[in-house]
């Protein structure tokens, strides 16, 4: 399949998910060695899961299918430029290449405006709209110390 065909598949998933009432008009496929290894579409409203965006569901599907938590040899095709959460998930999955159809401005024009989140992320925690307060850092650091000394940990 070609890049255009992979993007058309992501768009097809967006349309199918939206028409079936699963969520918003977003779809995604993950490719490895020219084959689709993960598929996803937005399932936010049907699963009551605000993290069930197309990219996240496709990453989960690909990771399950490939039995790995890193997709370093994959490409991601999504019907819309990833939101900040999905972009972070893409970074965590180590996907090196992303192709997208619609822009975040296109999404904002139909009511999916992520610009507020993009503005909040670089702010210091105390300047964000969501109240963030440090609490019990010393107790939490104990777990980090245990992790640091753990000999059988799987690094990621």
């Amino acid at each position: 399949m070609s890049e255009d065909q992979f993007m058309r598949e992501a768009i097809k998933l967006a349309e199918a998910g939206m028409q079936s009432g699963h969520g918003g008009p977003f779809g995604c496929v993950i490719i490895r060695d020219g084959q689709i290894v993960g598929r996803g579409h937005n399932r936010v409203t049907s699963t009551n899961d605000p993290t069930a965006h197309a990219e996240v569901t496709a990453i989960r599907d690909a990771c399950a299918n490939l039995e790995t938590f890193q997709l370093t040899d994959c490409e991601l095709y999504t019907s819309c430029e990833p939101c900040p959460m999905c972009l972070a998930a893409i970074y965590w999955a180590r996907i090196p290449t992303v192709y997208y159809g619609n822009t975040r401005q296109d999404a904002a024009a139909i009511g999916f405006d992520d610009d507020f989140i993009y503005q909040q992320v670089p702010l210091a925690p105390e300047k964000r709209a969501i109240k963030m307060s440090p609490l019990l850092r010393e107790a939490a650091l104990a777990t980090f110390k245990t992790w640091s000394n753990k000999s059988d940990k799987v690094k990621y």
Side-chain angles (χ1 to χ4, degrees), residues 26-129:
F26 305 97
C28 182
V29 293
I30 297 177
I31 310 306
R32 185 172 82 174
D33 297 329
Q35 300 295 317
I36 296 174
V37 295
R39 289 180 168 80
H41 63 268
N42 186 287
R43 295 176 176 269
V44 170
T45 58
S46 62
T47 61
N48 295 315
D49 179 356
T51 69
H53 289 199
E55 297 89 342
V56 172
T57 59
I59 288 169
R60 290 172 180 163
D61 187 46
C63 288
N65 290 334
L66 298 174
E67 298 181 342
T68 184
F69 56 85
Q70 291 189 348
L71 303 173
T72 56
D73 56 351
C74 295
E75 298 174 332
L76 185 143
Y77 291 76
T78 181
S79 64
C80 186
E81 182 179 354
C83 75
M85 176 187 68
C86 293
L87 183 59
I90 290 164
Y91 274 103
W92 277 114
R94 309 292 198 266
I95 299 170
T97 305
V98 173
Y99 298 92
Y100 61 93
N102 295 310
T103 66
R104 67 189 204 208
Q105 292 80 13
D106 297 331
I110 62 164
F112 294 93
D113 191 356
D114 303 325
D115 191 53
F116 174 72
I117 301 169
Y118 277 103
Q119 291 174 19
Q120 291 286 300
V121 170
L123 296 177
E126 66 275 6
K127 294 189 181 214
R128 293 182 184 147

Side-chain angles (χ1 to χ4, degrees), residues 94 122 138 152:
R94 309 292 198 266
E138 292 301 320
D152 63 341

